[in-house]
Amino acid sequence: MPETSHLVELPPCELARLEEIADLVTSVLSSPIRREKLALALMSEGYMKKLLQLFQVCEDLENREGLHHLYEIVRGVLFLNKAALFEVMFSDDCIMDVVGCLEFDPSLVQPKKHREFLTKTAKFKEVIPITDSELRQKIHQTYRVQYIQDIILPTPSVFEENFLSTLTSFIFFNKVEIVSMLQEDEKFLTEVFAQLTDEATEDGKRRELVNFFKEFCAFSQTLQPQNRDAFFKTLANLGILPALEIVMGMDDLQVRAAATDIFSYLVEFSPSMVREFVMQEPQQTDDDVLLINVVIKQMICDSDPELGGAVQLMGLLRTLIDPENMLAPTNKTEKTEFLSFFYKYCMQVLTVPLLASTVDEKNCKDLQEGSTKINPVCPDNFQTAQLLALILELLTFCVEHHTYHIKTYIMNKDLLRRVLVLMNSKHTFLALCALRFMRRIIGQKDEYYNRYIVKGNLFEPVINTLLDNGTRYNLLNSAIIELFEFIKVEDIKSLIAHIIDNYYKALESIEYVQTFKGLKGRYEQEKDRQTLRLNRYRRDARTLDEDEDEEMWFNEDGEAIEKSRPEEEFPESFGKYMEAKKVKESDNKENFPKRTPTGSFKFTFSHSAGAANGTNGANCKPATSPTSAASPNGSPAKSATPPATPVVKTAMVGLVDYPDDEDEEDEDEEQSPRKRPRLGS
């Protein structure tokens, strides 16, 4: 038969039938359909209230067996996961009886005293009297149901995790309702803020007010995003940040811890809101009481040996200075403005412990007179070392994300030199933090940083630490090797040259890794490349000089040729030239190339003995001109027969001076006044 045909019939609600009821409730948990049927049966005719009345009877009779059965029944009903049943069980009339039933766990020898704790030990504190009775009842109910879930009920197994999901939802919606009701009561919140910031408020009262706000903000995490935005905006409008500024500066550790938790809620909700408030402060207050400086001082002065509070505050500072969450479209200048503010007013406060705990090597020589190795003063206190590690972690984050501002600060304060003093610390984790800071700087591959490191010889403390570490194979050794390996792989030439020129003699004996030999190889390659480039430059420069000399020779030769002809000799030479031209035209007229109809010239060649002798054999006879019979110095030539090269030139002149082209020649002569003398040459 299918399960739906079996209706759940509850036995009469009597003491004698408690065992039967307990077995029934336990048996239906494995079947979702039967759980639904049982829940409907329990809600009808007030059956649940009758069961809880039997609890009082059993307790009065000290009926231990009946109380154990009631424990199983109530626990099973909670696992039915029905909100309608919870409304009945967690009402003011029934909830303490439910807690009483859950005290008698059969597995325990003695029952727990949960009701005694809820009624006597746990006290409801009203920082400001709550006049709304519904709100008061909701707060009491939420606290007790939360107690049942967290304290009384055993941790559910893997198979029971979903059985209490409705109970979790019940608590969740109660918290939402409480926050909404408090938020709507503006008079109540205004009074709370007034007392929180009033100097006359007693410390105990202020502690309760801060704890109230802490719990209030914790409840707000249950709100939907839209409602949560409205909640925090309400707190901001009421002045939560100025109030925190006052409270976080107090001496009471509990108050400061609670205020830190509230501040973390605000930063997590809206870093931009906190930054906007902080940037308005310098106009109203001194630097010492700025909210961020208060946070930094609280981080520095954390008395916890493990620095739990300092770690939390460092995380909040990191969130506030992270450029990744400064991209709000409403304020495009937020990043620039806030970082300028932070480095102007807050960075010097953050680095005070670092600068106070390290001494520059130049100032340490007096402490180490007669010693070749300088060991600057370093903090040996573990708590101080932890604090410096936190500060270095934040500075390392700044190097990676704040390119301009942190670079300027490091250069101005010579910060890396001070940080590298910590390489001498006996706390290896602190030396690693200092090394990580330098590694992040080198990782930027910024030549400004590289020149700063080279100029200050800042590799020296790192290499000294490597050599002091000896042959020990540990994290410090590996981290230093990785630093140099990065420089080699990235081929940072300025750092490679500095390391090889200054420290290679100390490092060449390290052969268990090839890092330093690789650096030497890179150095030699770059040196050879520069030498080759220099030689090529010199050769190119020499070739350029020779070309310039040749050009000057031609220029000078041309000028000499022109100057060798006095102006008075020019007319005579020109007359002789024209005479020779007429003779040449009459003698060689038939042998000139004929102009074709298209305007080009046609040459005829004769295969004569001249061709066999290596000449052209063209049918043009050499013409003699006055200029060809003259020497370069203008004196008459010894032989009237010109050499081979001038013959070719003269023939070329003859071609150009064809009678039909006289007009073109005249135009060319007008355009180039130097043409006539060059033809004569």
Side-chain angles (χ1 to χ4, degrees), residues 305-323:
E306 298 298 326
L307 296 182
V311 172
Q312 182 184 10
L313 290 170
M314 193 274 289
L316 298 177
L317 284 174
R318 183 170 177 163
T319 302
L320 288 174
I321 64 175
D322 186 357

Side-chain angles (χ1 to χ4, degrees), residues 440-588:
R440 197 60 53 86
I441 288 176
I442 293 175
Q444 301 302 302
K445 294 188 283 189
D446 188 324
E447 277 304 311
Y448 285 103
Y449 278 135
N450 295 343
R451 286 196 291 270
Y452 165 64
I453 292 171
V454 169
K455 185 177 179 180
N457 279 333
L458 298 181
F459 277 108
E460 184 175 349
V462 178
I463 292 173
N464 286 339
T465 302
L466 176 64
L467 298 176
D468 291 344
N469 193 62
T471 57
R472 283 174 289 181
Y473 182 60
N474 52 21
L475 184 58
L476 184 61
N477 175 274
S478 298
I480 296 175
I481 294 295
E482 191 276 336
L483 173 68
F484 289 105
E485 185 69 23
F486 175 82
I487 295 171
K488 184 193 78 173
V489 171
E490 295 296 328
D491 196 16
I492 305 176
K493 295 179 176 56
S494 57
L495 297 184
I496 292 175
H498 174 70
I499 293 167
I500 298 302
D501 288 340
N502 294 278
Y503 307 110
Y504 186 68
K505 289 184 179 180
L507 298 171
E508 63 180 342
S509 60
I510 299 177
E511 297 181 346
Y512 55 86
V513 289
Q514 298 301 310
T515 300
F516 300 107
K517 288 187 177 180
L519 285 172
K520 179 69 171 176
R522 293 270 189 181
Y523 175 78
E524 296 294 344
Q525 287 177 5
E526 180 61 22
K527 197 172 181 182
D528 293 343
R529 194 179 295 116
Q530 290 181 359
T531 303
L532 182 62
R533 189 182 298 118
L534 182 61
N535 291 338
R536 184 180 301 167
Y537 171 76
R538 287 176 178 173
R539 185 170 62 251
D540 293 345
R542 187 166 59 249
T543 305
L544 183 62
D545 291 343
E546 291 174 358
D547 292 343
E548 289 178 354
D549 291 343
E550 291 179 6
E551 186 177 349
M552 289 299 296
W553 184 86
F554 280 117
N555 289 340
E556 291 170 3
D557 185 57
E559 291 174 2
I561 291 171
E562 292 179 8
K563 290 179 180 179
S564 67
R565 303 177 180 204
E567 293 182 4
E568 59 271 13
E569 293 180 3
F570 182 74
E572 182 183 355
S573 299
F574 181 68
K576 292 179 181 179
Y577 167 74
M578 293 303 293
E579 234 178 77
K581 181 178 176 185
K582 290 178 181 179
V583 174
K584 178 182 66 176
E585 289 176 1
S586 61
D587 292 343
N588 300 325

Side-chain angles (χ1 to χ4, degrees), residues 363-391:
N363 299 327
C364 291
K365 293 182 179 179
D366 295 338
L367 303 175
Q368 299 289 335
E369 284 187 58
S371 175
T372 57
K373 183 179 176 183
I374 300 172
N375 289 317
V377 176
C378 288
D380 289 333
N381 180 274
F382 178 75
Q383 188 170 351
T384 305
Q386 274 193 311
L387 176 62
L388 293 179
L390 286 176
I391 295 173

Side-chain angles (χ1 to χ4, degrees), residues 9-21 24 45 47 50-51 54 73:
E9 295 182 3
L10 289 170
C13 191
E14 300 174 357
L15 284 176
R17 309 295 292 273
L18 285 177
E19 183 177 1
E20 185 179 349
I21 297 171
L24 175 62
E45 300 179 2
Y47 196 89
K50 293 177 183 178
L51 278 174
L54 286 179
I73 293 170

Side-chain angles (χ1 to χ4, degrees), residues 307-463:
L307 296 182
V311 172
Q312 182 184 10
L313 290 170
M314 193 274 289
L316 298 177
L317 284 174
R318 183 170 177 163
T319 302
L320 288 174
I321 64 175
D322 186 357
E324 294 297 325
N325 56 46
M326 295 184 192
L327 304 177
T330 55
N331 185 6
K332 296 182 179 179
T333 61
E334 179 184 14
K335 177 179 176 180
T336 304
E337 291 177 357
F338 181 76
L339 290 181
S340 299
F341 164 85
F342 181 78
Y343 280 88
K344 181 178 181 180
Y345 294 104
C346 308
M347 182 58 88
Q348 66 268 22
V349 180
L350 179 65
T351 54
V352 162
L354 179 63
L355 299 178
S357 301
T358 56
V359 179
D360 191 357
E361 292 183 3
K362 295 177 182 178
N363 299 327
C364 291
K365 293 182 179 179
D366 295 338
L367 303 175
Q368 299 289 335
E369 284 187 58
S371 175
T372 57
K373 183 179 176 183
I374 300 172
N375 289 317
V377 176
C378 288
D380 289 333
N381 180 274
F382 178 75
Q383 188 170 351
T384 305
Q386 274 193 311
L387 176 62
L388 293 179
L390 286 176
I391 295 173
L392 281 176
E393 185 178 344
L394 201 59
L395 292 174
T396 304
F397 176 83
C398 293
V399 168
E400 187 173 3
H401 293 86
H402 304 165
T403 52
Y404 169 73
H405 294 87
I406 189 65
K407 185 195 303 182
T408 305
Y409 190 80
I410 290 173
M411 301 293 185
N412 291 340
K413 298 292 184 180
D414 198 11
L415 190 63
L416 180 57
R417 182 186 303 278
R418 305 296 291 270
V419 168
L420 290 177
V421 170
L422 302 176
M423 294 292 293
N424 296 305
S425 173
K426 71 175 185 180
H427 302 287
T428 306
F429 72 88
L430 184 56
L432 286 168
C433 286
L435 183 64
R436 191 181 303 117
F437 180 69
M438 184 178 188
R439 169 66 174 80
R440 197 60 53 86
I441 288 176
I442 293 175
Q444 301 302 302
K445 294 188 283 189
D446 188 324
E447 277 304 311
Y448 285 103
Y449 278 135
N450 295 343
R451 286 196 291 270
Y452 165 64
I453 292 171
V454 169
K455 185 177 179 180
N457 279 333
L458 298 181
F459 277 108
E460 184 175 349
V462 178
I463 292 173

Side-chain angles (χ1 to χ4, degrees), residues 202-221:
E202 297 179 357
D203 292 343
K205 181 71 172 179
R206 183 175 282 107
R207 190 182 304 118
E208 292 177 359
L209 290 166
V210 173
N211 286 329
F212 163 77
F213 268 117
K214 175 185 172 182
E215 194 168 359
F216 194 27
C217 291
F219 275 29
S220 71
Q221 301 305 297

